[in-house]
């Protein structure tokens, strides 16, 4: 945005799009175990016709970037995000042989409560070209979308280690088992329950509510909550 | 980059630009003390004529995003970056009353060795509309560039705390005093020398070279180096 930014002939600048990597925790088809899932959209046109791609499209002339990301999320899953953050702008010349497009990509988390009704309920009904996939078992993706998903997975998993991002997957209150299940599903590995409990109790981010999970158990487990709302974006941009 | 990305009429999509926040450590004019500096370019056209702005401009039709950022750095400072990372895409409708522009912003560090000849040598000679400013004493900036600089400062300072980013400011070998001076300049506060030495020695990132700084001192200080090259980008994108 300097003097020269308006000096070029129209069409010389690459086109601009916004795409979103959406994560949710859903039961795996075969095992029923909770696993990280991503909704993808099947392409019905060339290039890459028939392949799956991230939900996205052009930025509206009067639309903010994050609003475009929210719109794709709503259009694809009929849900609102519990967490939304800009991931990266992908603009390599080599990402498509067709028209050059720079994609500004967001990543979003959808909470268990939102997605509790199951995969089917969390998609726009009746569209066979929209489907949830296990994040660790994806089909071939169009364009450089595999690179984008791998980067989003890396960002999510890195952030799980030092931030309260797990709070965007659990509800407002949760048991330690539920919280551990979130960590296990995102990290893709089992965690020792006793170690996990010690780690959580050593931090002061998670506190007991004084209530217990109601249900069938003889000794119902304690419910916990985060001691403050999730800081959706700790940077100065998040505070503005 | 989905089916609909090519469906809009030309001109409906906002224009695209690349800008770069460039950091270097230079002596302050008054005190001579090392401080964080940023080069800015004075606008010679409306809007915001006469105000200072980040170096930037449109993305070339055949130019990768990071190459555009490098080009602005070279055009503005005649230097190459020792660190370059994408910061964020700024695209709010409210950022300019004129034509809407989405700016993909990079941030860059220029090392002491590169900038050693001083501020004057680190700029394209003879252009009065390009100038280094103390990062904590900036003039009024055009557009939302103040927000962008604040965010870049936050990113740099946050990254100083957990990564080896200071290595991009020092040369290949350095004394602990020089390394501490980098941390002090970036963080904008004095650090206790004994505490700093303990902190550095407790990590294994910095190791003695076995050599000493040659000069006039009776007891020349030890030279250190990082035990491996700076990981410019630890994400999967950096490895590709």
């Amino acid at each position: 945005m300097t003097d020269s930014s308006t000096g070029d002939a129209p069409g010389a600048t690459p086109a601009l799009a916004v795409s979103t990597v959406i994560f949710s925790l859903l039961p795996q088809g075969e095992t029923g175990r909770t696993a990280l899932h991503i909704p993808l959209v099947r392409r019905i046109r060339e290039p890459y016709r028939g392949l799956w791609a991230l939900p996205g499209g052009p930025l509206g002339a009067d639309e903010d970037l994050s609003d475009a990301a929210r719109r794709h999320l709503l259009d694809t899953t009929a849900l609102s995000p519990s967490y939304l953050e800009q991931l990266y702008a992908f603009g390599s010349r080599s990402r498509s042989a067709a028209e050059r497009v720079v994609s500004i990509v967001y990543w979003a988390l959808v909470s268990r409560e939102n997605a509790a009704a199951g995969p089917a309920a969390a998609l726009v009904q009746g569209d066979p070209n929209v489907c949830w996939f296990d994040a660790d078992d994806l089909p071939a993706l169009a364009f450089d979308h595999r690179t984008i998903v791998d980067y989003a997975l890396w960002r999510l998993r890195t952030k799980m280690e030092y931030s309260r991002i797990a709070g965007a997957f659990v509800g407002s209150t949760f048991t330690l088992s539920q919280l551990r299940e979130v960590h296990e599903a995102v990290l893709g590995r089992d965690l020792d329950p006793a170690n996990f409990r010690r780690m959580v109790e050593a931090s002061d981010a998670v506190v007991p509510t004084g209530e217990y999970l109601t249900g069938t158990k003889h000794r119902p487990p304690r419910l916990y909550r985060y001691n403050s709302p999730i800081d959706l974006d700790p940077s100065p941009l998040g505070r503005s």
Side-chain angles (χ1 to χ4, degrees), chain A:
Chain A
M1 208 154 195
T2 59
D3 297 311
S4 50
S5 67
T6 57
D8 269 22
T13 307
L16 187 62
V18 175
S19 295
T20 309
V21 183
I22 302 162
F23 292 112
S24 189
L25 295 179
L26 298 171
Q28 255 174 352
E30 289 179 18
T31 65
R33 191 176 168 153
T34 301
L36 202 57
H37 283 70
I38 299 174
L40 297 171
V41 180
R42 201 200 309 258
R43 290 183 57 80
I44 54 173
R45 273 187 258 175
E46 296 294 347
Y48 297 106
R49 184 177 171 174
L51 260 61
W52 297 88
L54 294 168
L59 176 68
D62 283 325
E63 188 176 42
D64 276 345
L65 296 172
S66 60
D67 290 338
R70 279 174 205 279
R71 177 168 56 82
H72 302 146
L73 205 155
L74 193 66
D75 288 351
T76 312
T77 67
L79 295 173
S80 296
S82 49
Y83 185 85
L84 182 70
E85 183 187 293
Q86 196 183 97
L87 180 69
Y88 203 78
F90 293 82
S92 168
R93 286 166 303 176
S94 60
R95 59 194 303 261
S96 170
E99 182 206 23
R100 186 174 175 197
V101 178
V102 172
S103 288
I104 297 172
V105 180
Y106 280 73
W107 64 291
L109 306 184
V110 174
S111 79
R112 285 168 90 84
E113 281 172 348
N114 277 340
L123 288 178
V124 174
Q125 297 292 327
D127 186 345
N129 291 318
V130 182
C131 188
W132 287 95
F133 290 91
D134 186 324
D136 287 318
D137 189 19
L138 295 176
L141 301 187
F143 305 110
D144 56 354
H145 289 193
R146 180 74 218 203
T147 303
I148 295 176
V149 169
D150 284 346
Y151 183 52
L153 275 167
W154 179 84
R155 180 83 71 93
L156 167 61
R157 286 170 174 158
T158 304
K159 206 145 189 167
M160 281 287 284
E161 315 238 338
Y162 69 84
S163 84
R164 321 169 120 203
I165 194 80
F169 279 123
V170 293
S172 53
T173 65
F174 44 85
T175 67
L176 286 188
S177 294
Q178 287 170 339
L179 190 62
R180 176 166 50 82
E181 193 184 26
V182 167
H183 278 82
E184 289 178 336
V186 170
L187 299 176
R189 62 169 196 268
D190 290 336
L191 298 172
D192 178 70
N195 280 346
F196 183 79
R197 173 180 292 269
R198 271 194 293 276
M199 187 195 76
V200 169
E201 286 174 347
S203 87
D204 56 358
V206 168
V207 294
T209 63
E211 297 179 345
Y212 294 83
L213 185 69
T214 53
T216 55
K217 280 199 181 180
H218 176 55
R219 289 183 55 190
R222 253 176 219 281
L223 285 171
Y224 291 78
R225 61 173 174 79
Y226 279 94
N227 67 354
S228 59
I230 310 164
D231 203 355
L232 284 187
D233 181 354
S235 81
L237 297 179
R239 288 195 289 274
S240 65

